[in-house]
Amino acid sequence: MDIKKLQTLVVDALEDVKGQDIALFETTHLTSLFDRIAIVSGTSNRQTKALAASVRDKVKEAGGDIIGMEGEDTGEWVLVDLGDMIVHIMQAPIRAYYRLEEIWGDKPVKLGAAKRAPKKAAGDEPKKVSGHLAASKAKVEASPVIEKKTPAKKATAATAAKKAPAKKAAASKAVGKTVKVAPTKAETAAVKALKALPEKKVRAPRAAKPAADAAPAKTVIKRIKKVEA
């Protein structure tokens, strides 16, 4: 199996079981026994065993060979031998004690490079459509046009509201003032003519005549007694 495909399968299998601190190194310049070495941490014996089983199953499904597995009994340090690649699955205290990165970690391999997506086949590429044919052009859906109201009306309403009290104030000032109008020439001439006329004598009112049916007034004559000497 190709080493790049093998390292991609191993990294995927370790990530599926949530392996921690996955590290991948190239070892071709250090030994001729294998080309890659992978180191990963597990939080418990159960997780280290599950990580080893995940690597074994994925490589077998892809047609790879499993040379051997060691340390499954205790689960503290499980080694999976894949021929061209060795996988060390360790618990954190064991990994910190042995420090395999200092021995094999001269040339680290980036995980992004180890998991490059395979190239698409020629049949998977979408067919190119010529742009000069009207039938091949995609139809553009007409989007509704939303008319926005212009803020000019609001501005005029606001200015009219501001001008209204000014007009009221001007009207109130105009009501309080009295405007004198000069008399015409004809009016002044008529007034002078009236003043020039002599004053009329006022006659006393006549006494009312007694009515014919009214009874004649009685005259009372008082007798004066002579005083004897």
Side-chain angles (χ1 to χ4, degrees):
M1 183 183 291
D2 184 16
I3 187 61
K4 291 183 178 180
K5 184 179 180 180
L6 181 60
Q7 69 186 12
T8 302
L9 288 172
V10 170
V11 172
D12 289 341
L14 296 175
E15 288 181 347
D16 289 345
V17 193
K18 298 181 180 179
Q20 297 180 357
D21 300 331
I22 301 172
L24 188 63
F25 303 103
E26 182 182 350
T27 58
T28 53
H29 64 292
L30 297 175
T31 181
S32 60
L33 297 176
F34 45 86
D35 297 335
R36 298 285 187 277
I37 184 171
I39 306 171
V40 62
S41 298
T43 57
S44 62
N45 296 347
R46 183 178 294 178
Q47 188 181 12
T48 54
K49 293 178 182 179
L51 288 167
S54 178
V55 172
R56 178 192 61 201
D57 295 341
K58 280 226 172 189
V59 173
K60 276 188 178 182
E61 288 176 2
D65 297 329
I66 307 298
I67 306 300
M69 294 179 64
E70 298 178 6
E72 287 184 300
D73 298 337
T74 59
E76 293 180 355
W77 182 355
V78 182
L79 184 146
V80 183
D81 188 357
L82 303 176
D84 294 336
M85 186 171 181
I86 305 296
V87 183
H88 293 276
I89 305 168
M90 313 168 74
Q91 292 189 19
I94 303 297
R95 182 175 180 177
Y97 180 78
Y98 286 98
R99 298 179 183 178
L100 296 181
E101 290 90 345
E102 295 180 2
I103 301 172
W104 305 103
D106 291 345
K107 291 185 178 182
V109 178
K110 294 181 180 180
L111 297 180
K115 295 179 65 178
R116 284 176 183 169
K119 295 181 179 180
K120 294 182 179 180
D124 297 338
E125 295 181 358
K127 295 181 179 179
K128 293 183 179 180
V129 182
S130 58
H132 67 278
L133 296 176
S136 62
K137 293 182 180 179
K139 294 181 180 179
V140 180
E141 295 182 358
S143 57
V145 179
I146 301 172
E147 295 182 357
K148 294 183 179 180
K149 295 182 179 179
T150 56
K153 293 182 179 179
K154 293 183 179 179
T156 53
T159 51
K162 291 180 180 179
K163 291 179 179 179
K167 290 181 179 180
K168 289 181 180 179
S172 61
K173 290 180 181 179
V175 170
K177 293 180 179 180
T178 55
V179 181
K180 294 182 179 181
V181 181
T184 60
K185 293 181 179 181
E187 290 178 352
T188 52
V191 171
K192 288 181 179 179
L194 289 173
K195 289 182 179 180
L197 292 174
E199 294 181 0
K200 294 182 179 180
K201 294 181 179 181
V202 181
R203 297 180 180 178
R206 296 179 180 177
K209 293 182 179 179
D213 298 336
K218 293 180 180 181
T219 57
V220 180
I221 300 172
K222 291 182 181 182
R223 293 181 179 179
I224 300 172
K225 292 181 179 183
K226 292 181 179 181
V227 180
E228 293 180 357

